[in-house]
Amino acid sequence: GGHVGPTDASGGRGARVVHSLSSGTTRASRLPASASMLVEHRLAPGKLVIIVQGVESLGDLHDLDVGPDRVTFVAHGQRHTVALGHAAIDVDTCGARFKKKRLELLWQRESCDGGPVVNGSVVAAGRGAEAEVLSPAEQTQRQLDTPALTAEGASAAGTAKRADESADSAGSGGGGLDGTVRFRLREAVRWALEQLERLRVPESATGLNRFKAEVGLAELGLYASRCSRLGVPTALLAPLRVAEDALHAELAALAAGEMPGTAALSELTAVVRRTAAAVADVDRELTAAAPAFGARADDAIMLTTTLGQARWRLRDGTELGPGIGTWKLSPEEAEARVVAALRGGWRHVDTAAEYGTEAAVGRALTASGVPRCEVFVNLKVAAESASELRSVLAASLRNFGGGAVDCLMLHRAPAAGGALQEVWAVLEEAARSGRTRLLGASNVSAAQLEQLCASATKPAVVQLKCSVFHQGGYFPEGGPAALWEVIRRHGIVPVGISLFNPLHSCVSPLEEPLIGGWAQDLGASPAELLAQWARGAGVCPLVRCSPGHAAALHGSRLRLPPRTAAALSALSSLTETAYCPALSDPFGLHAPTGRRLMRCGEALRGRLVQVHGLGCAAGRPLNGCRGRLEGFDDDAGRWDVAIPGASEAAKLRPENLALVEEHSGEAEGQELAEAAGRFLRELLATGGLEPMLRALAERREEVTWALEETVAANLEMAAARGWAVKQQVLARLLGAVREALERRSPHPGTVALPPPTLDLSAIRLAGDCWDEAAERALAALLAALEGSGYAICDGFAGREEVAQLATELGEYDTAFETAKILVGKQATGAEISVPAVRSDRIFWVCGEHRTPAAERLWDSAGTQPAVGLAPCRPEVVMSKAVYGFPRLAALMRRLDDFVLGRIAKRCDRLKGLVERSDAMVSIYDKGARFQKHIDNPNRDGRVLTSVFYLNPETDDRPWSREDGGHLRVFLGKDEPPADFAPECGRLALFWADRIPHEVLPSRRRRRALTYWWFDRAEREAKVRETDESGTASMQTEDERLAQAFVAHMLRDGVTPAQVNAHARNLPAGALDAVAKVVGAEDGAQALEGLERLSQADLERLRGSMQHMGLE
């Protein structure tokens, strides 16, 4: 494309650049002007690649307009905009070109061809000559003159050009950017889900065949899940890994002879389907070269010859090239195809007694006209005993009719392990008699191959199943790694069979989308890609003698980019099971996806400790000093200890600190001293030093600092009075006591860090122009919400927006009032202020609902304004500076559109979502908290809770664990709760009627905006229930008295008798309210129950009331 230059005369940074892509030469459009086209783009430093469906030449693009943060163009009559979200393009140095059906914009760095961008023209690196500068017109003409490449059947010139192009793309590794490999994971997951819908294990399958079929189908499910894990946000990894673990457990049960069914695979499929829309294609950087399984072919030959001309040197000095097989061919087919293959250049033919093709191969050798000495013939035979093998071998060679073969191969080891050496001896005998030059083995384990290598004649060749998904066999005994190690150590040439055959697996290499995509990138077929992969890995390919494979692959000049080869080798980790293990884990799929653990000293904060064991010059003066723990630095592994008189806290390891007991007063101190005296007398009465030390060890948990002080005081007295023996005994005892105390180091507790959060910045940046990135972010949120019941999202609002909203609401700080809780098992329970349960302050803002209040689809928090937003309490005067809450109104509309317009339409559980509550703004500070609860245990219509955090971000003080105020979400019975900091702009969504949660004590001012979202059907049912029961609102006095009673009942130290006395003085209305709190039918039943309360009953009642909303 031609670089016309900036339209802004100033030419300054940020000026827009227009590129004219009209070349004067046009081609027929593949899509009509009205067609909807898919536009994809990939951004990397200095480079933007844009792919438009149906656009394959410059003539299809017009009016290219490039700005710092977006690119627009016209294709097939439609204008398209690629928005980058930020200023990424340097328009002053930007050049454009069209290459490999992709529009590429380059700036401020070298181009893909290795040349810099000069004045808008691309400098192409010349091969063996000086660089050639191409003008815009020359670039256009050269690209138009480049012929299109087909996937298969290319001419010699075409394959040579493909080799050049694949060499150029070695740095990009098959479609990626900057040396990466593009993994088209979305297509891979879609394909796998389609296969999982279609495939089933046949009912007729039994025994080992059925088990292999079960494993093969499980491999497909694992492939789908692991592709998803590579492409979804980290917040969605855990459910996928849990489902994978369940499938592995089910396979283990099947292997043990149990029949657990297919529930695990069904659940895994459901999880994959739930997360599929959140999967993104990724560019991954892998190692520069694929692993070499066996000995590589000569490098010079590999770089300059076709696939069919590559050679591996055998032990006798001869060379072996890629071969063709005759498995599952009739004699007639085998003869015709082998003749064609030999005439086409193939010089390695495989046959077997069990195939019944020996005679056909012998006839083909004669008919082809190729000299016999040029063809390597491999004949496989098998039997369970030596005598049987002699008969099989004689018959097979007689059928072959061509005299000796080049290699006799044991097709498989006999079932009886002791017979292996006997049958191998038969083959050695055949070699000595001249019926073969070499011996080989097929389908053997590492241990069996090692046993054969200990014989007089070692195997020179080994055939093994080697596809990208099963690199070294299917169900290999002992695993593939051990087999490859034996092959390399003994210099055996590996011949790879089943390169294209999925065997029992349901993931076919020739159909799998990742392989297909890389093949398309290189202008090759999947079969060509796989054969060249095997060649590069040191494995001699043996392909089935089909006309398509034999003719197309022999002349292949494809040079596989190293990163693509590495990507192909990595695919086995996508289908790995315990029965077909992979050789490596390049994607880190085995790494734990669970919660990361962190040591936390919160529970020990403020405890008194004594320093000991410091040996450095600066530390020794601190030994014996006491101080208090301030906090634990997990990264450094040290406590901050405040020692009196020190200018700053000392950072000390736990092993240099010992916890010190503290007593509350003189009486407790005297009691501890007396207990220590009794303990010392009991130790001294044991009758000797060793018995005394054993007794101390047995009672180690009773050792206190008071005992240490008592022993030290007695030691001083013994020294003052000259009691030498007693002094020695007490000195040993004092050392043992101090050792016991020093072992009580203040080790911090271990806490699980919260799961990763989701990033909604793409949704914020998209605004009304919903794009692919926003769609994936929404899909990830939905997957998290439907799979886990909650989603914690960052980036829904920017820092500036949050700061402005916090300032607006800050105008009403004096209007906040103490929050109340709704207690009881009915929706009409009492609203009571109980600081022990909830101690935040709240402020309600009413207005801007989508349905009228008369429909009662939401609970009104107060007086609703005629228009706009206003405080729900009429007595609160609106601030003139922020009249009508403009910032809150803008955020509220965004949330309404997002929840009702996006989430509800895509989430089955929220299909009936119709309204939200008024806005509740809450402030937590000075230790305020809200104990564990469920928002809606009574089915009042609220199904979704959204909490938006209004805490402005400051660079000098990010929100920390010490600040408190975290949202704690309880994830399940066996899962530790997750704590999420109330960070700036964070949005928390969770099921209002299912997810237990609490707000931890906040030591820093914490503000949040909460809405509840109502389901129409559930809300209408609750309204009908309330109308039918005729429940009236509580009177003000009754509410006050009920509140006072519950607060009294929750107070520590109150006895059942005091509770009963208080209850008997309540009027009937207040008792009815109390009945709703404690779950009784009416006031009389509540009073009757309270009169029977024991102390234990009272404690349980308090506990249940302090976890309101939980059964």
Side-chain angles (χ1 to χ4, degrees), residues 624-790:
C625 294
R626 293 186 175 184
R628 295 197 179 274
L629 301 176
E630 291 190 334
F632 186 78
D633 185 342
D634 185 58
D635 294 329
R638 296 172 184 267
W639 284 100
D640 291 327
V641 184
I643 298 176
S647 59
E648 59 183 15
K651 289 189 174 293
L652 301 173
R653 297 184 183 278
E655 49 267 31
N656 294 119
L657 299 171
L659 288 167
V660 179
E661 303 95 350
E662 298 182 85
H663 51 80
S664 58
E666 185 176 342
E668 186 178 350
Q670 181 63 31
E671 182 180 340
L672 288 172
E674 292 175 357
R678 289 193 300 272
F679 194 0
L680 177 56
R681 286 192 294 272
E682 292 168 4
L683 291 173
L684 293 173
T686 55
L689 179 61
E690 293 306 322
M692 178 182 67
L693 295 179
R694 282 198 301 271
L696 179 69
E698 293 171 357
R699 301 174 62 181
R700 185 182 298 275
E701 297 304 318
E702 301 177 41
V703 176
T704 64
W705 286 95
L707 177 62
E708 189 262 355
E709 294 171 358
T710 301
V711 175
N714 278 270
L715 178 59
E716 291 178 7
M717 183 179 66
R721 298 188 180 183
W723 297 341
V725 175
K726 192 170 186 178
Q727 187 176 346
Q728 292 177 0
V729 172
L730 290 173
R732 288 285 303 276
L733 179 60
L734 181 60
V737 169
R738 286 176 174 169
E739 181 184 355
L741 292 170
E742 288 169 0
R743 289 186 179 182
R744 298 181 185 173
S745 302
H747 292 292
T750 301
V751 298
L753 293 180
T757 59
L758 294 168
D759 183 6
L760 297 188
S761 56
I763 292 175
R764 183 182 81 248
L765 295 173
D768 295 331
C769 301
W770 200 258
D771 58 15
E772 184 179 331
E775 179 63 27
R776 282 200 302 270
L778 175 60
L781 185 153
L782 291 168
L785 195 59
E786 293 179 323
S788 303
Y790 76 97

Side-chain angles (χ1 to χ4, degrees), residues 200-215 254 257-259 475 504:
R200 295 291 183 272
V201 175
E203 292 296 330
S204 59
T206 59
L208 180 59
N209 283 335
R210 181 175 184 85
F211 178 64
K212 287 185 175 181
E214 295 278 8
V215 173
L254 282 170
E258 302 173 18
M259 294 297 291
F475 283 74
H504 286 277

Side-chain angles (χ1 to χ4, degrees), residues 161 252 258 393 404 455 557 592 992:
K161 175 166 177 54
E258 302 173 18
L393 177 58
S455 304
R557 293 179 178 271

